[in-house]
Amino acid sequence: MARPRLSTIYAATSCSTSTSTTASPARAFVPTAYAAFQERLSNGTLGLDDARQLFDGLLHGADPVPTRALDALLSALAHVPPSTAWSNGPALAVELFKRMDRCASPQAAPTGYTYNILIDCYRRAHRPDLGLAIFGRLLRTGLGLNVVAYSMVIDGFFKEGEVDKAYDLFRKMEKQGISPDVVTYNSTIDGLCKSKAMDKVEKVLQQMLDAGSKVEM
């Protein structure tokens, strides 16, 4: 028996809840369709068109869902492992983010978490330069800096062998009011060790000790 398209699930759920005064159609839709989305994404049967239709149904519905529901879909796409059925989840997440960014609905406005997902997509795509550009845009939004975004940009540059760029960003963190966390220290120490920059490793370790942080090695 053929599985129903996610767009069909959306329509059916919206119709069945349209007379309710206690729950909005879009909000009621999220658990059912998202579960189907996750299942098909994990087993490789989710089509690109289905993913786009689901996202657009949420984004442009008469009763927009909160950004966190859209973020959940973007995050799922960003983390799906490559397979013969699904080659590039992060690329589709970036595409859908652009649709979200163009939407005028205040409820669908990207948050700091949304930008973190996008930066992670570019890291997974081996394009830390684009991740840095998005990080710069995050600074201009007024949403504020966060250690997760900073750490992912740093890690992206280390993974691509751009050690000087990564280390320079690490040194700028506290100047911009962001204290490195365990993840940042681990990523930085690992990257510096792999590049045999032991003098810099010593400085980072000392900074970590001075800050009283504990690093899980």
Side-chain angles (χ1 to χ4, degrees):
M1 180 177 177
R3 295 186 179 188
R5 293 174 65 84
L6 291 176
S7 54
T8 304
I9 297 174
Y10 172 74
T13 310
S14 295
C15 289
S16 65
T17 59
S18 59
T19 58
S20 172
T21 58
T22 59
S24 71
R27 286 170 188 259
F29 154 75
V30 173
T32 301
Y34 182 64
F37 178 94
Q38 284 281 41
E39 178 189 354
R40 297 186 195 182
L41 187 61
S42 63
N43 64 26
T45 61
L46 178 71
L48 293 176
D49 287 343
D50 265 345
R52 293 187 180 103
Q53 287 175 6
L54 170 59
F55 195 85
D56 285 345
L58 287 168
L59 188 61
H60 300 295
D63 187 8
V65 297
T67 299
R68 65 177 179 274
L70 302 174
D71 286 345
L73 299 182
L74 294 179
S75 181
L77 290 171
H79 291 86
V80 63
S83 66
T84 54
W86 196 266
S87 61
N88 200 333
L92 181 57
V94 170
E95 174 192 328
L96 296 180
F97 168 84
K98 292 177 180 178
R99 297 186 186 204
M100 182 179 178
D101 195 36
R102 291 192 296 265
C103 181
S105 171
Q107 278 187 283
T111 64
Y113 180 64
T114 317
Y115 281 101
N116 287 354
I117 296 170
L118 192 62
I119 291 170
D120 187 36
C121 285
Y122 284 126
R123 178 180 63 165
R124 293 171 183 274
H126 307 288
R127 291 299 306 271
D129 55 321
L130 296 179
L132 183 60
I134 294 300
F135 183 73
R137 179 177 169 177
L138 174 60
L139 294 179
R140 296 190 293 274
T141 64
L143 292 171
L145 287 171
N146 64 78
V147 68
V148 175
Y150 229 128
S151 297
M152 285 192 295
V153 173
I154 290 171
D155 185 63
F157 280 109
F158 271 125
K159 281 183 166 50
E160 298 309 308
E162 298 189 49
V163 177
D164 290 341
K165 184 69 174 179
Y167 185 62
D168 184 56
L169 286 169
F170 173 79
R171 292 177 61 194
K172 288 179 178 178
M173 284 188 73
E174 291 194 311
K175 293 179 181 179
Q176 294 185 309
I178 302 293
S179 297
D181 64 5
V182 169
V183 174
T184 320
Y185 280 121
N186 279 341
S187 178
T188 301
I189 292 171
D190 181 65
L192 292 173
C193 285
K194 288 179 178 177
S195 65
K196 302 188 186 305
M198 303 313 294
D199 55 331
K200 293 177 181 176
V201 170
E202 184 177 352
K203 292 178 181 178
V204 174
L205 285 171
Q206 187 59 54
Q207 177 180 335
M208 178 189 68
L209 293 172
D210 290 344
S213 300
K214 295 182 180 179
V215 180
E216 297 177 5
M217 302 297 289

